[in-house]
Amino acid sequence: IDVTDAQKRILYLEGVPRWEFKYLKRALLTDKQQQLTAFVQSAGGAFINFDEHDSTAAAALPEFADQTLREFSTIILGDLGDQALSGKDCLSIAKFVENGGGLLFLGAVRSCGPEGLLSKAEFKDLAPVVSPAGAQMLEQRTAVSFTAAGRAEPAFAPLLTEPRLPPLLSCWSPVEPGPFSTVFLATAEAAPVLVGRRFGQGRVGIILSDSLWRWQLGAEAGGTEKALYGRFITQLLQWLSPSNRQQNQDNGIQLLLAEQEVDLWSRVQIGALCGKAVDSNGIACRIITPEGKSLALPMVPANLGEDFGLSQKESGFACEFVPELPGTYKLEVLARDGLHSEGALLLAKQPALEYTGEPIQRQWLQRLARDSGGEFLPWSDSDRLLATLKGSSRSIEMVREYSLWNRWPWLALLLSLFCLEWYFRRRWDLV
């Protein structure tokens, strides 16, 4: 008998009681499937409980121990500085995610800055994005929409019925998504707003705006965006929630993809982890191409590691696939008995290099730029190229010598001066 809590417990730590805290807290308290435990950091650094459920509220911040964090499904970290949590606490949170938990960063000026929580070394491996020097919260009205990967993610399917998403008034930019990260929401200028990734058995997400709470204003005014903010947060937390994934890890198949958006003619590695109840003999991958054709690829035993977003190697199965047509591919990993399966969507797009068709080695270029002290910029940020070039000016002194005797203007000037001198010497009786 497996006794579980019908509600998913969420731990929310916030730096200041800002608008995002108010509306997120309100959205989760009205959800019967969520149980929120919220804390706000005081001026002295201590956390104060803001839970409205007196019967279940914890009076003090829970310990960041494995046994304590196991009681929560997701942890939300708001606008916190690097001193809000100790290195040991951050390692415990990273281990919590690695073991299957969910983690959501609510981006803000302090948390995303150089002295924010995201800058801690303990979060370097799991952070979905990297903020280069010069990143800041740009305050301007900008349109926002789901990317192709966001539209292909089943968790966000209920939100795709919206005719449009309300604009945002701020966005932390520029950022560099990690190699295993997926951009689900972006601005009209292709700046990431919602980025997520796998980390171990869990998932991590980050919202790179502090004005997303304004989506709730339409609900209060009775506009077309009624309850949009609450539905968005609920769907996002369901994507981060480990309950369904944990059951799948124990009894089913888990499909692994390094990226959900790839270039044409690039090699796509498909991995799979099998639970205890799965017959691991004869694991295969079925692929439905954009034109409707069905392909079947056998999967061979392999050690899956960092190439699939896993922090440590695990025994599983893998196969390779090369997309030849642009569009959406439906992937499904099947067991031989047909009782267990797992599906995913893969978007293949035109490569950045038009002539060769070979994909850009983005990870190698990013590493080269980082090691050489440079910066890797997408084409959309090409106008910032000159501003990012670092160099020092130097002056060069050049000395040129001219002979006056072979230049008649100078010779005439000298003869005139000699004559003028002789004239004044005779006039003043100097000779």
Side-chain angles (χ1 to χ4, degrees):
I1 299 176
D2 184 14
V3 180
T4 59
D5 193 347
Q7 291 182 318
K8 299 175 182 178
R9 298 191 60 189
I10 299 174
L11 177 61
Y12 181 16
L13 304 183
E14 184 57 84
V16 292
R18 52 188 180 131
W19 290 108
E20 193 80 34
F21 173 77
K22 173 184 176 180
Y23 288 108
L24 188 146
K25 182 169 172 283
R26 180 182 299 177
L28 295 182
L29 288 177
T30 57
D31 190 351
K32 302 298 183 181
Q33 297 181 352
Q34 311 284 355
Q35 179 182 333
L36 178 65
T37 303
F39 293 87
V40 174
Q41 191 177 26
S42 64
F47 284 92
I48 304 174
N49 179 269
F50 267 73
D51 201 326
E52 296 183 0
H53 295 290
D54 297 333
S55 58
T56 59
L61 188 69
E63 284 188 38
F64 289 92
D66 296 343
Q67 188 65 28
T68 306
L69 293 180
R70 196 176 302 173
E71 301 176 0
F72 299 94
S73 64
T74 307
I75 297 176
I76 302 176
L77 299 178
D79 192 13
L80 299 169
D82 56 359
Q83 302 297 324
L85 298 176
S86 64
K88 183 179 179 181
D89 294 340
C90 295
L91 288 176
S92 299
I93 294 177
K95 187 176 180 181
F96 162 78
V97 179
E98 188 175 1
N99 292 334
L103 177 62
L104 176 63
F105 291 100
L106 297 179
V109 176
R110 181 167 57 167
S111 61
C112 293
E115 297 181 356
L117 195 64
L118 277 171
S119 65
K120 295 185 74 70
E122 292 79 8
F123 286 152
K124 180 180 179 181
D125 293 335
L126 63 77
V129 298
V130 177
S131 296
Q136 58 182 335
M137 188 68 73
L138 301 179
E139 297 184 357
Q140 60 183 8
R141 188 182 181 88
T142 178
V144 63
S145 61
F146 282 101
T147 63
R151 293 190 295 269
E153 177 59 47
F156 303 121
L159 302 174
L160 301 181
T161 58
E162 292 290 328
R164 63 177 180 84
L165 296 177
L168 296 178
L169 300 184
S170 63
C171 181
W172 182 266
S173 183
V175 295
E176 298 176 1
F180 300 105
S181 300
T182 302
V183 179
F184 297 113
L185 201 65
T187 65
E189 293 78 18
V193 176
L194 173 61
V195 186
R197 61 156 298 179
R198 289 179 48 86
F199 183 74
Q201 305 298 330
R203 286 174 176 169
V204 185
I206 183 171
I207 298 177
L208 296 165
S209 175
D210 58 2
S211 61
L212 200 68
W213 59 270
R214 296 180 62 87
W215 287 8
Q216 184 66 24
L217 299 183
E220 295 184 348
T224 58
E225 298 90 10
K226 185 176 182 180
L228 175 60
Y229 178 78
R231 290 190 290 120
F232 174 80
I233 291 298
T234 301
Q235 295 299 128
L236 177 57
L237 292 177
Q238 287 182 0
W239 181 78
L240 292 170
S241 175
S243 58
N244 296 331
R245 298 198 309 274
Q246 187 65 39
Q247 181 181 1
N248 187 51
Q249 294 162 14
D250 295 338
N251 301 319
I253 297 177
Q254 188 177 8
L255 192 153
L256 304 178
L257 282 175
E259 293 179 314
Q260 290 185 297
E261 293 186 13
V262 297
D263 293 334
L264 285 178
W265 306 104
S266 61
R267 292 186 178 274
V268 179
Q269 291 186 332
I270 305 172
L273 298 176
C274 297
K276 299 178 182 178
V278 179
D279 183 6
S280 59
N281 294 322
I283 299 293
C285 180
R286 184 173 63 184
I287 302 175
I288 306 297
T289 65
E291 58 182 2
K293 294 183 178 180
S294 179
L295 306 176
L297 302 177
M299 304 191 73
V300 298
N303 290 326
L304 309 182
E306 295 182 355
D307 294 341
F308 295 92
L310 301 177
S311 57
Q312 56 185 3
K313 291 187 176 295
E314 297 188 29
S315 298
F317 298 85
C319 67
E320 286 188 352
F321 166 67
V322 178
E324 300 178 356
L325 293 174
T328 302
Y329 291 78
K330 298 180 180 180
L331 311 179
E332 186 178 17
V333 176
L334 301 164
R336 173 182 290 183
D337 54 15
L339 299 178
H340 302 90
S341 65
E342 176 72 8
L345 296 178
L346 177 70
L347 177 65
K349 55 186 180 180
Q350 292 289 348
L353 299 182
E354 300 178 1
Y355 300 104
T356 64
E358 293 292 331
I360 295 177
Q361 299 181 10
R362 298 180 183 276
Q363 298 182 19
W364 183 83
L365 291 175
Q366 291 174 355
R367 185 170 62 253
L368 178 62
R370 183 173 59 254
D371 295 341
S372 60
E375 186 173 356
F376 178 83
L377 295 176
W379 179 254
S380 58
D381 295 336
S382 59
D383 55 340
R384 297 194 303 107
L385 179 60
L386 294 179
T388 58
L389 294 178
K390 299 179 181 179
S392 58
S393 60
R394 61 176 183 174
S395 59
I396 301 177
E397 183 179 355
M398 301 181 64
V399 179
R400 295 182 179 180
E401 296 182 0
Y402 297 96
S403 176
L404 300 180
W405 304 110
N406 57 357
R407 295 176 182 270
W408 68 267
W410 293 104
L411 183 60
L413 178 62
L414 288 176
L415 292 176
S416 300
L417 292 175
F418 289 151
C419 294
L420 186 63
E421 180 192 20
W422 180 254
Y423 170 76
F424 282 108
R425 289 171 67 88
R426 290 294 302 266
R427 183 179 180 85
W428 296 334
D429 295 327
L430 296 178
V431 295

Coordinates of all heavy atoms in Angstrom, one line a residue, residues 279-346:
D279 N 10.1 -4.8 -19.4 CA 10.9 -5.8 -20.0 C 11.9 -5.1 -20.9 O 11.5 -4.6 -22.0 CB 10.0 -6.8 -20.8 CG 10.8 -7.9 -21.4 OD1 12.0 -8.0 -21.1 OD2 10.3 -8.7 -22.2
S280 N 13.2 -5.1 -20.5 CA 14.2 -4.3 -21.2 C 14.7 -5.0 -22.5 O 15.5 -4.4 -23.2 CB 15.4 -4.0 -20.3 OG 15.9 -5.2 -19.9
N281 N 14.1 -6.1 -22.8 CA 14.5 -6.8 -24.1 C 13.7 -6.3 -25.2 O 12.5 -6.4 -25.2 CB 14.4 -8.3 -23.9 CG 15.3 -8.9 -22.9 OD1 16.5 -8.5 -22.8 ND2 14.8 -9.9 -22.1
G282 N 14.4 -5.8 -26.2 CA 13.6 -5.4 -27.4 C 13.1 -4.0 -27.3 O 12.0 -3.7 -27.9
I283 N 13.7 -3.0 -26.6 CA 13.3 -1.6 -26.6 C 13.5 -1.0 -28.0 O 14.6 -1.2 -28.6 CB 14.1 -0.9 -25.5 CG1 13.8 -1.4 -24.2 CG2 13.7 0.6 -25.6 CD1 12.4 -1.3 -23.7
A284 N 12.5 -0.3 -28.5 CA 12.6 0.3 -29.8 C 12.0 1.7 -29.8 O 11.2 2.0 -28.9 CB 11.9 -0.5 -30.9
C285 N 12.4 2.5 -30.7 CA 11.9 3.9 -30.9 C 11.2 4.0 -32.2 O 11.7 3.7 -33.2 CB 13.1 4.9 -30.8 SG 12.6 6.6 -30.9
R286 N 9.9 4.5 -32.1 CA 9.1 4.7 -33.3 C 9.0 6.2 -33.5 O 8.8 7.0 -32.6 CB 7.7 4.2 -33.1 CG 6.8 4.3 -34.4 CD 5.5 3.6 -34.2 NE 4.7 4.1 -33.1 CZ 3.6 3.6 -32.8 NH1 3.1 2.5 -33.3 NH2 2.9 4.2 -31.8
I287 N 9.3 6.6 -34.8 CA 9.3 8.0 -35.2 C 8.3 8.3 -36.3 O 8.3 7.6 -37.3 CB 10.8 8.4 -35.6 CG1 11.8 8.1 -34.5 CG2 10.8 9.9 -36.0 CD1 13.2 8.4 -35.0
I288 N 7.5 9.3 -36.0 CA 6.5 9.7 -37.1 C 7.0 11.0 -37.7 O 7.2 12.0 -37.0 CB 5.1 9.9 -36.5 CG1 4.6 8.6 -35.8 CG2 4.1 10.3 -37.6 CD1 4.5 7.4 -36.6
T289 N 7.4 11.0 -38.9 CA 7.9 12.2 -39.6 C 6.9 13.2 -39.9 O 5.7 12.9 -39.8 CB 8.6 11.7 -40.9 OG1 7.6 11.2 -41.8 CG2 9.7 10.7 -40.6
P290 N 7.2 14.4 -40.2 CA 6.2 15.5 -40.5 C 5.3 15.1 -41.7 O 4.2 15.6 -41.8 CB 7.1 16.7 -40.9 CG 8.3 16.5 -40.1 CD 8.6 15.0 -40.2
E291 N 5.8 14.3 -42.6 CA 4.9 13.9 -43.7 C 4.1 12.6 -43.4 O 3.4 12.1 -44.3 CB 5.8 13.6 -45.0 CG 6.9 12.6 -44.8 CD 7.8 12.4 -46.0 OE1 7.5 13.1 -47.0 OE2 8.6 11.5 -46.0
G292 N 4.2 12.1 -42.2 CA 3.3 11.0 -41.8 C 4.0 9.6 -41.9 O 3.3 8.6 -41.5
K293 N 5.2 9.5 -42.3 CA 5.8 8.2 -42.4 C 6.3 7.7 -41.1 O 6.6 8.5 -40.2 CB 7.1 8.3 -43.4 CG 6.7 8.5 -44.8 CD 8.0 8.5 -45.7 CE 7.6 8.7 -47.1 NZ 8.8 8.7 -48.0
S294 N 6.3 6.4 -40.9 CA 6.6 5.8 -39.6 C 8.0 5.1 -39.7 O 8.2 4.3 -40.7 CB 5.6 4.8 -39.1 OG 5.9 4.2 -37.9
L295 N 8.9 5.4 -38.8 CA 10.2 4.7 -38.8 C 10.4 4.0 -37.5 O 9.9 4.5 -36.4 CB 11.3 5.8 -39.0 CG 11.3 6.7 -40.2 CD1 12.4 7.7 -40.1 CD2 11.3 5.9 -41.5
A296 N 11.0 2.9 -37.5 CA 11.3 2.1 -36.3 C 12.8 1.9 -36.1 O 13.4 1.3 -37.0 CB 10.6 0.7 -36.3
L297 N 13.3 2.3 -35.0 CA 14.8 2.2 -34.8 C 15.0 1.4 -33.5 O 14.4 1.6 -32.5 CB 15.4 3.6 -34.6 CG 15.3 4.6 -35.7 CD1 15.9 5.9 -35.3 CD2 15.9 4.1 -37.0
P298 N 15.9 0.3 -33.6 CA 16.2 -0.4 -32.4 C 17.1 0.4 -31.5 O 17.9 1.1 -31.9 CB 16.9 -1.7 -33.0 CG 17.5 -1.2 -34.2 CD 16.5 -0.2 -34.8
M299 N 16.9 0.2 -30.2 CA 17.7 0.9 -29.2 C 18.7 -0.1 -28.5 O 18.2 -1.2 -28.2 CB 16.8 1.6 -28.1 CG 15.8 2.6 -28.7 SD 15.0 3.6 -27.5 CE 16.3 4.7 -27.0
V300 N 19.9 0.3 -28.4 CA 20.9 -0.6 -27.9 C 21.3 -0.2 -26.5 O 21.2 1.0 -26.2 CB 22.2 -0.6 -28.8 CG1 21.8 -1.1 -30.2 CG2 22.8 0.8 -28.9
P301 N 21.8 -1.1 -25.6 CA 22.2 -0.7 -24.3 C 23.3 0.3 -24.3 O 24.2 0.2 -25.2 CB 22.6 -2.0 -23.7 CG 21.9 -3.1 -24.4 CD 21.8 -2.6 -25.9
A302 N 23.3 1.3 -23.5 CA 24.3 2.3 -23.4 C 24.3 3.0 -22.0 O 23.3 2.9 -21.3 CB 24.0 3.4 -24.5
N303 N 25.4 3.6 -21.7 CA 25.6 4.3 -20.5 C 25.2 5.8 -20.8 O 26.0 6.5 -21.5 CB 27.0 4.2 -19.9 CG 27.3 2.8 -19.4 OD1 26.4 2.2 -18.8 ND2 28.5 2.4 -19.5
L304 N 24.2 6.3 -20.2 CA 23.7 7.6 -20.5 C 24.2 8.6 -19.4 O 24.1 8.3 -18.2 CB 22.2 7.7 -20.5 CG 21.5 6.6 -21.4 CD1 20.0 6.8 -21.3 CD2 21.9 6.7 -22.8
G305 N 24.8 9.7 -19.8 CA 25.4 10.6 -18.9 C 25.1 12.1 -19.2 O 23.9 12.4 -19.5
E306 N 26.1 12.9 -19.3 CA 25.9 14.3 -19.5 C 25.3 14.7 -20.8 O 24.7 15.7 -21.0 CB 27.3 15.0 -19.4 CG 27.9 14.9 -18.0 CD 29.2 15.7 -17.9 OE1 29.7 16.2 -18.9 OE2 29.8 15.7 -16.7
D307 N 25.5 13.8 -21.9 CA 24.9 14.1 -23.2 C 23.4 14.1 -23.1 O 22.8 14.7 -24.0 CB 25.4 13.0 -24.2 CG 26.9 13.2 -24.5 OD1 27.5 14.2 -24.2 OD2 27.5 12.2 -25.0
F308 N 22.8 13.5 -22.1 CA 21.4 13.5 -22.0 C 20.9 14.3 -20.8 O 19.8 14.1 -20.3 CB 20.9 12.0 -21.9 CG 21.1 11.2 -23.1 CD1 22.3 10.5 -23.3 CD2 20.2 11.2 -24.1 CE1 22.5 9.7 -24.4 CE2 20.4 10.4 -25.3 CZ 21.6 9.7 -25.4
G309 N 21.8 15.1 -20.2 CA 21.4 15.9 -19.1 C 21.4 15.3 -17.7 O 20.9 15.8 -16.8
L310 N 22.1 14.1 -17.6 CA 22.2 13.4 -16.4 C 23.5 13.7 -15.7 O 24.5 13.8 -16.3 CB 22.1 11.9 -16.6 CG 20.8 11.3 -17.3 CD1 20.9 9.8 -17.5 CD2 19.6 11.7 -16.5
S311 N 23.4 13.9 -14.4 CA 24.6 14.3 -13.6 C 25.6 13.2 -13.4 O 26.7 13.4 -13.2 CB 24.2 14.9 -12.3 OG 23.4 14.0 -11.5
Q312 N 25.1 11.9 -13.5 CA 25.9 10.8 -13.4 C 25.4 9.7 -14.4 O 24.2 9.7 -14.7 CB 25.9 10.2 -11.9 CG 24.5 9.9 -11.4 CD 24.5 9.5 -10.0 OE1 25.6 9.5 -9.3 NE2 23.4 9.1 -9.4
K313 N 26.3 8.8 -14.7 CA 26.0 7.8 -15.8 C 25.0 6.8 -15.2 O 25.1 6.4 -14.1 CB 27.3 7.1 -16.2 CG 28.2 8.0 -17.1 CD 29.3 7.3 -17.7 CE 30.2 8.1 -18.6 NZ 29.4 8.6 -19.8
E314 N 24.1 6.5 -16.1 CA 23.1 5.4 -15.7 C 22.9 4.5 -16.9 O 23.1 4.9 -18.1 CB 21.7 6.1 -15.4 CG 21.7 7.0 -14.2 CD 20.3 7.4 -13.8 OE1 19.4 6.6 -14.1 OE2 20.2 8.5 -13.2
S315 N 22.6 3.2 -16.6 CA 22.4 2.2 -17.6 C 21.1 2.4 -18.3 O 20.1 2.5 -17.6 CB 22.6 0.8 -17.0 OG 23.9 0.6 -16.5
G316 N 21.1 2.5 -19.6 CA 19.8 2.7 -20.3 C 20.0 2.2 -21.8 O 20.8 1.3 -22.1
F317 N 19.3 2.9 -22.7 CA 19.3 2.5 -24.1 C 19.4 3.8 -24.9 O 18.9 4.8 -24.5 CB 18.0 1.7 -24.4 CG 17.9 0.4 -23.7 CD1 17.3 0.4 -22.5 CD2 18.3 -0.8 -24.3 CE1 17.2 -0.8 -21.8 CE2 18.2 -2.0 -23.6 CZ 17.6 -2.0 -22.3
A318 N 19.9 3.7 -26.1 CA 20.1 4.8 -26.9 C 20.1 4.5 -28.4 O 20.3 3.3 -28.8 CB 21.5 5.5 -26.6
C319 N 19.7 5.4 -29.2 CA 19.8 5.3 -30.7 C 20.0 6.7 -31.3 O 19.8 7.7 -30.6 CB 18.5 4.6 -31.2 SG 17.0 5.6 -31.1
E320 N 20.3 6.7 -32.6 CA 20.6 8.0 -33.2 C 19.6 8.1 -34.4 O 19.2 7.2 -35.0 CB 22.0 8.1 -33.8 CG 23.0 8.3 -32.7 CD 24.4 8.6 -33.2 OE1 24.6 8.4 -34.5 OE2 25.3 9.0 -32.4
F321 N 19.3 9.4 -34.7 CA 18.3 9.7 -35.8 C 18.8 11.0 -36.4 O 19.2 12.0 -35.7 CB 16.9 9.8 -35.2 CG 15.9 10.4 -36.1 CD1 15.5 9.8 -37.3 CD2 15.4 11.7 -35.8 CE1 14.6 10.4 -38.1 CE2 14.5 12.2 -36.6 CZ 14.1 11.6 -37.8
V322 N 18.6 11.1 -37.7 CA 19.0 12.3 -38.5 C 17.7 12.8 -39.2 O 17.2 12.2 -40.1 CB 20.1 12.0 -39.5 CG1 20.4 13.3 -40.3 CG2 21.4 11.5 -38.8
P323 N 17.2 13.9 -38.8 CA 16.0 14.5 -39.4 C 16.4 15.1 -40.8 O 17.3 15.8 -40.9 CB 15.5 15.6 -38.5 CG 16.7 16.0 -37.7 CD 17.6 14.7 -37.6
E324 N 15.6 14.7 -41.8 CA 15.8 15.1 -43.2 C 14.8 16.1 -43.7 O 15.0 16.7 -44.8 CB 15.9 13.9 -44.1 CG 17.0 12.9 -43.7 CD 17.0 11.7 -44.6 OE1 16.1 11.6 -45.5 OE2 17.8 10.9 -44.5
L325 N 13.7 16.3 -42.9 CA 12.7 17.3 -43.3 C 12.4 18.2 -42.2 O 12.4 17.8 -41.0 CB 11.4 16.5 -43.7 CG 11.4 15.6 -45.0 CD1 10.1 14.9 -45.1 CD2 11.7 16.5 -46.2
P326 N 12.1 19.5 -42.5 CA 11.7 20.4 -41.4 C 10.3 20.1 -40.9 O 9.5 19.7 -41.7 CB 11.8 21.8 -42.0 CG 11.6 21.5 -43.5 CD 12.2 20.2 -43.8
G327 N 10.1 20.3 -39.6 CA 8.8 20.1 -39.0 C 8.9 19.4 -37.7 O 10.0 19.3 -37.1
T328 N 7.7 18.9 -37.2 CA 7.6 18.2 -35.9 C 7.7 16.7 -36.1 O 6.9 16.2 -36.9 CB 6.4 18.7 -35.2 OG1 6.3 20.1 -35.1 CG2 6.3 18.0 -33.8
Y329 N 8.5 16.1 -35.3 CA 8.6 14.6 -35.3 C 8.1 14.1 -34.0 O 8.4 14.7 -32.9 CB 10.1 14.2 -35.4 CG 10.7 14.5 -36.8 CD1 11.1 15.7 -37.1 CD2 10.9 13.4 -37.7 CE1 11.7 16.0 -38.4 CE2 11.4 13.7 -39.0 CZ 11.9 15.0 -39.3 OH 12.4 15.2 -40.5
K330 N 7.3 13.1 -34.1 CA 6.7 12.4 -32.9 C 7.6 11.2 -32.5 O 7.7 10.3 -33.4 CB 5.3 12.0 -33.1 CG 4.3 13.2 -33.4 CD 2.9 12.7 -33.6 CE 2.0 13.9 -33.9 NZ 0.6 13.4 -34.2
L331 N 8.1 11.2 -31.3 CA 9.0 10.1 -30.9 C 8.2 9.3 -29.8 O 7.5 9.9 -29.0 CB 10.3 10.7 -30.3 CG 11.1 11.7 -31.1 CD1 12.3 12.1 -30.4 CD2 11.4 11.2 -32.5
E332 N 8.4 8.0 -29.9 CA 7.8 7.1 -28.9 C 8.7 5.9 -28.7 O 9.0 5.2 -29.6 CB 6.4 6.7 -29.4 CG 5.7 5.9 -28.3 CD 4.3 5.5 -28.7 OE1 4.0 5.5 -29.9 OE2 3.5 5.1 -27.9
V333 N 9.1 5.8 -27.4 CA 9.9 4.6 -27.0 C 9.0 3.5 -26.5 O 8.2 3.8 -25.6 CB 11.0 5.0 -26.0 CG1 11.7 3.8 -25.5 CG2 11.9 6.0 -26.6
L334 N 9.1 2.3 -27.1 CA 8.2 1.2 -26.7 C 8.9 0.0 -26.2 O 10.0 -0.3 -26.6 CB 7.4 0.8 -28.0 CG 6.5 1.9 -28.7 CD1 6.1 1.4 -30.1 CD2 5.3 2.2 -27.8
A335 N 8.3 -0.7 -25.3 CA 8.8 -2.0 -24.8 C 8.2 -3.0 -25.7 O 7.2 -2.8 -26.4 CB 8.4 -2.2 -23.4
R336 N 8.9 -4.2 -25.7 CA 8.4 -5.3 -26.6 C 7.0 -5.7 -26.3 O 6.2 -6.0 -27.2 CB 9.4 -6.4 -26.5 CG 8.9 -7.7 -27.3 CD 9.9 -8.8 -27.2 NE 11.2 -8.6 -27.9 CZ 12.2 -9.4 -28.0 NH1 12.1 -10.6 -27.3 NH2 13.3 -9.2 -28.6
D337 N 6.7 -5.8 -25.0 CA 5.3 -6.3 -24.7 C 4.2 -5.3 -25.0 O 3.1 -5.6 -24.9 CB 5.3 -6.6 -23.2 CG 5.8 -5.5 -22.3 OD1 5.9 -4.4 -22.7 OD2 6.1 -5.8 -21.1
G338 N 4.6 -4.0 -25.3 CA 3.6 -3.0 -25.6 C 2.9 -2.4 -24.4 O 2.0 -1.6 -24.6
L339 N 3.3 -2.8 -23.2 CA 2.6 -2.3 -22.0 C 3.1 -0.9 -21.5 O 2.5 -0.3 -20.7 CB 2.7 -3.3 -20.9 CG 2.0 -4.7 -21.2 CD1 2.2 -5.6 -20.0 CD2 0.5 -4.5 -21.5
H340 N 4.3 -0.6 -21.9 CA 5.0 0.6 -21.4 C 5.5 1.4 -22.6 O 6.1 0.8 -23.6 CB 6.1 0.3 -20.5 CG 5.7 -0.5 -19.3 ND1 5.7 -1.9 -19.3 CD2 5.2 -0.1 -18.1 CE1 5.3 -2.4 -18.1 NE2 5.0 -1.3 -17.4
S341 N 5.3 2.7 -22.6 CA 5.8 3.6 -23.6 C 6.0 5.0 -23.1 O 5.4 5.3 -22.1 CB 4.8 3.6 -24.8 OG 3.6 4.1 -24.5
E342 N 6.7 5.8 -23.8 CA 6.9 7.2 -23.4 C 7.1 8.0 -24.7 O 7.9 7.6 -25.6 CB 8.1 7.4 -22.5 CG 8.4 8.8 -22.2 CD 7.4 9.5 -21.2 OE1 6.5 8.7 -20.7 OE2 7.5 10.7 -21.0
G343 N 6.4 9.1 -24.9 CA 6.5 9.9 -26.1 C 7.1 11.3 -25.9 O 7.1 11.8 -24.8
A344 N 7.5 11.9 -27.0 CA 8.0 13.3 -26.9 C 7.9 13.9 -28.3 O 7.7 13.1 -29.3 CB 9.4 13.3 -26.4
L345 N 8.0 15.2 -28.4 CA 8.0 15.9 -29.7 C 9.4 16.5 -30.0 O 10.0 17.0 -29.1 CB 6.9 17.0 -29.7 CG 5.5 16.5 -29.6 CD1 4.5 17.7 -29.6 CD2 5.1 15.5 -30.7
L346 N 9.8 16.4 -31.2 CA 11.1 17.0 -31.7 C 10.8 17.9 -32.8 O 10.2 17.5 -33.8 CB 12.1 15.9 -32.0 CG 13.4 16.3 -32.6 CD1 14.3 16.9 -31.4 CD2 14.2 15.1 -33.2

